Amino acid sequence: MKTRNIFYSIAVATSVLATSCVSDEDLNQVDPNFETADSFWENGDDALKGVNAVYGALLNDGTYMRSTPLLLDLKGDGTRSNSPWAAMANVGKFNSSVADPAIYGWAFEMYYQGIYRANQVLENVPGIEMEDTALKDRILGQAYFMRGLYFFHAVNMFKNVPLPLTSTQVYHEQKSQEEGWAQVKSDLEMAASLLPVSYDDVSGPDQGQKGRATKGAALAYLGKAHLFNQEFAEAKTAFEQVIGFGVYDLVPDYSDNFTEVNENNVESIFEVQFNRDVGGVDLSWGGAPASGWGKTSARAITYGPPTFGFTDAQPTWTLFNEYQEELTVDGEVDPRLDATMFYNKPGMMLYGVEFAVHYAGNESFLNEIYCAKYQNSDGSRPDEYDWRSGINERIMRYADVLLMYAECLNELGQTDAAYPYIQQVRDRVNLPDLATVSPGMSQQQMRDQIAHERFLEFPLEGHRFDDIRRWGWLEDSAKLEWLKSRDPEFNSYVSGREYFPIPQSEMDNNPLMTIGQNAGY
């Protein structure tokens, strides 16, 4: 990995004096109009600004502005793409091109931009004299968390990647996925040891601030990293701590997890902070940050229904039908269906108009299904064509911790103990008591049940394909055939393409990429 200094600008000025000799030091002049890394890291205010910049990498096109949700969503059997842009449509068809790094290459670049910024904090902040040592610990804890999160994405999606732990080296050695996961877990463990459960009770300039990484966020992702590596006992321990804090709960209305009005709620363990009212109005496409960049998301326009957005991603009919397999205790369809997608249902509204009326003149639109999550569709805005959604991306919810914890219990042979944690998620949407309708499930039956529960709880939230891959379904011929029957895009799956290719520019320019390109490319 070749690191690039994108956070500070250093200008070298030279001058030649006709009447005297010039030393090398005389030739290396720093432009006083630009701040350098050497002059920046001097006090606690600098340290806080530095860690804030680490979060900033979450807001760019490669990360959660647009690309990362697409990369996480489109390979699952609950999502499809008919985008005219091949780089996007090919994600779900397992056909990303090594010759065209659009979308996946942008994500790779931005993860390492975030890692580079985190490394600057971890290198420089320990040497700053700060009276508030607790604040210093929180800043370092956030840097460890964010580096662990960026590494999590890189290792999870690109497999064998560099693991830079310094911002000063030019090239970084390609590591195995096992080494990558070990680094992810190490960073998250450090973060958990330094971060507070909440910022409400701290003293300092970060007091009460929402959106900063907490101990719960670090432990939730640590548990997830263990779970992805079948380390169920370790994952269970991490999730137990999150549950034991007693600060998280499920919000009564499922749809409140995907709107602007109820952000940073009691269910949210970590979310990416978008806002239409801060920064500029330019879009954060990537590269060196510019003062005119906004802090907004392009997810809404990318996923939005036709005439309101680009409809580059859509739910599958498999997902639509699975929502209707089990009715609520009142005999109604699972309410998560209407929170997840728009469809031709009497009275269904989107952007202030009725679905059936709006699409009446176009039968193909009228008879399709579209994404509703993370859309500004309550009527306050006419469409998404300004590209500037302010809805926060909830990337770790308490519901996920509950279902991952239930999975750990089941894998550890405590199947009966898993029921209550699953039921908490079911109770919110008024589904029957699982222990009554399906008592005494075997471990395999419970695995299937958890897969079903996760499918309906987290569509369009970047979880489904990760689940499919970690459960080994792609290596199970029967499961793979089942997936093909649910989503025809799986017909083009080729072994190895569960991961994205490492951008060819990285393979060509970094002499330490000795493990090589991912299989299948």
Side-chain angles (χ1 to χ4, degrees):
M1 181 67 205
K2 185 174 182 180
T3 52
R4 302 174 300 160
N5 194 327
I6 51 165
F7 194 19
Y8 302 107
S9 298
I10 301 176
V12 178
T14 60
S15 61
V16 178
L17 303 178
T19 58
S20 65
C21 295
V22 182
S23 69
D24 289 343
E25 285 191 11
D26 291 328
L27 293 174
N28 292 323
Q29 300 291 320
V30 176
D31 187 334
N33 296 310
F34 289 89
E35 193 155 39
T36 69
D38 289 338
S39 66
F40 178 77
W41 300 100
E42 293 183 346
N43 52 50
D45 186 52
D46 290 346
L48 197 59
K49 289 177 180 177
V51 81
N52 288 348
V54 185
Y55 288 94
L58 288 174
L59 306 181
N60 295 341
D61 187 24
T63 47
Y64 280 93
M65 174 186 155
R66 181 176 60 161
S67 297
T68 292
L70 287 166
L71 297 175
L72 290 171
D73 277 336
L74 290 182
K75 287 184 177 181
D77 56 340
T79 317
R80 57 196 160 121
S81 178
N82 294 310
S83 174
W85 184 13
M88 190 178 294
N90 284 339
V91 170
K93 296 176 176 63
F94 302 92
N95 197 31
S96 294
S97 171
V98 175
D100 181 6
I103 304 179
Y104 75 84
W106 305 337
F108 188 91
E109 177 185 359
M110 291 312 304
Y111 300 151
Y112 283 96
Q113 184 184 96
I115 291 164
Y116 174 79
R117 295 180 184 181
N119 283 338
Q120 284 197 317
V121 174
L122 295 171
E123 288 166 344
N124 290 286
V125 170
I128 297 176
E129 293 288 338
M130 292 176 59
E131 291 185 9
D132 191 343
T133 57
L135 173 62
K136 187 174 187 178
D137 283 346
R138 293 195 297 275
I139 289 170
L140 291 171
Q142 290 170 80
Y144 276 115
F145 172 81
M146 293 302 300
R147 188 173 74 177
L149 180 62
Y150 292 125
F151 276 145
F152 189 109
H153 283 316
V155 172
N156 185 46
M157 287 198 276
F158 295 94
K159 196 175 182 180
N160 302 318
V161 297
L163 302 171
L165 304 181
T166 172
S167 65
T168 58
Q169 288 179 233
V170 176
Y171 298 108
H172 298 273
E173 182 183 359
Q174 186 180 22
K175 300 288 188 178
S176 69
Q177 192 174 39
E178 291 74 20
E179 291 173 299
W181 281 121
Q183 186 59 52
V184 169
K185 289 179 280 189
S186 175
D187 279 352
L188 294 173
E189 286 168 355
M190 282 296 297
S193 72
L194 293 167
L195 290 171
V197 173
S198 167
Y199 288 82
D200 291 342
D201 299 323
V202 305
S203 61
D206 54 349
Q207 183 182 33
Q209 291 188 346
K210 303 293 185 182
R212 294 192 180 276
T214 61
K215 190 182 294 291
L219 288 168
Y221 270 101
L222 176 60
K224 186 173 182 177
H226 282 303
L227 185 67
F228 276 29
N229 287 276
Q230 291 77 52
E231 296 161 353
F232 301 112
E234 294 86 349
K236 174 177 175 287
T237 297
F239 296 139
E240 279 177 342
Q241 292 180 72
V242 178
I243 294 168
F245 290 147
V247 299
Y248 303 110
D249 202 352
L250 302 180
V251 293
D253 187 342
Y254 174 78
S255 63
D256 278 345
N257 288 303
F258 318 107
T259 64
E260 198 168 0
V261 296
N262 198 19
E263 296 173 337
N264 299 301
N265 59 51
V266 70
E267 186 169 344
S268 179
I269 296 177
F270 190 71
E271 61 189 74
V272 180
Q273 308 290 310
F274 291 108
N275 195 321
R276 287 174 60 87
D277 299 324
V278 299
V281 296
D282 297 335
L283 299 176
S284 306
W285 295 119
S291 60
W293 281 8
K295 311 299 181 187
T296 52
S297 166
R299 173 199 260 268
I301 187 171
T302 303
Y303 286 60
T307 74
F308 303 103
F310 292 154
T311 326
D312 285 322
Q314 289 178 256
T316 61
W317 286 99
T318 290
L319 177 62
F320 179 87
N321 293 330
E322 193 157 332
Y323 270 121
Q324 299 176 77
E325 290 179 0
E326 183 182 22
L327 299 179
T328 69
V329 296
D330 298 322
E332 303 291 336
V333 173
D334 189 325
R336 291 175 295 191
L337 172 62
D338 288 6
T340 300
M341 62 185 81
F342 298 118
Y343 59 101
N344 189 4
K345 173 186 176 180
M348 174 159 282
M349 303 292 291
L350 72 169
Y351 297 90
V353 298
E354 187 171 353
F355 185 104
V357 173
H358 184 72
Y359 293 127
N362 189 318
E363 188 173 347
S364 62
F365 288 174
L366 182 67
N367 295 318
E368 261 292 3
I369 52 178
Y370 308 107
C371 300
K373 279 185 178 178
Y374 290 113
Q375 298 295 311
N376 298 278
S377 56
D378 60 0
S380 60
R381 295 175 60 192
D383 53 53
E384 303 290 353
Y385 288 122
D386 69 355
W387 289 75
R388 299 185 66 247
S389 175
I391 301 175
N392 289 358
E393 187 93 10
R394 283 75 156 180
I395 63 175
M396 178 61 74
R397 295 198 279 120
Y398 187 56
D400 197 7
V401 168
L402 291 173
L403 291 182
M404 289 191 291
Y405 183 62
E407 185 175 342
C408 291
L409 291 171
N410 184 53
E411 295 301 326
L412 293 169
Q414 303 171 48
T415 301
D416 287 347
Y419 278 94
Y421 298 95
I422 297 171
Q423 194 58 41
Q424 288 185 53
V425 177
R426 291 170 60 87
D427 281 343
R428 169 168 53 191
V429 290
N430 207 26
L431 290 178
D433 185 356
L434 188 62
T436 300
V437 297
S438 299
M441 280 190 280
S442 68
Q443 185 181 58
Q444 183 56 53
Q445 287 172 328
M446 182 59 82
R447 285 178 182 143
D448 293 340
Q449 184 67 39
I450 290 171
H452 167 75
E453 301 289 349
R454 291 185 62 80
F455 188 54
L456 299 188
E457 178 68 19
F458 303 117
L460 307 175
E461 295 183 57
H463 297 299
R464 179 61 173 182
F465 185 72
D466 282 347
D467 288 343
I468 287 171
R469 185 179 57 204
R470 69 187 178 84
W471 289 331
W473 288 4
L474 299 172
E475 293 76 44
D476 182 325
S477 58
K479 279 291 189 184
L480 184 55
E481 288 302 314
W482 180 72
L483 288 169
K484 291 176 181 179
S485 72
R486 292 162 63 84
D487 181 358
E489 290 181 327
F490 277 89
N491 286 307
S492 54
Y493 168 71
V494 175
S495 180
R497 293 205 170 193
E498 59 268 30
Y499 297 101
F500 291 98
I502 296 171
Q504 193 59 43
S505 59
E506 180 72 12
M507 301 302 301
D508 293 341
N509 297 327
N510 183 352
L512 301 181
M513 297 294 287
T514 55
I515 296 176
Q517 183 59 270
N518 288 329
Y521 295 99

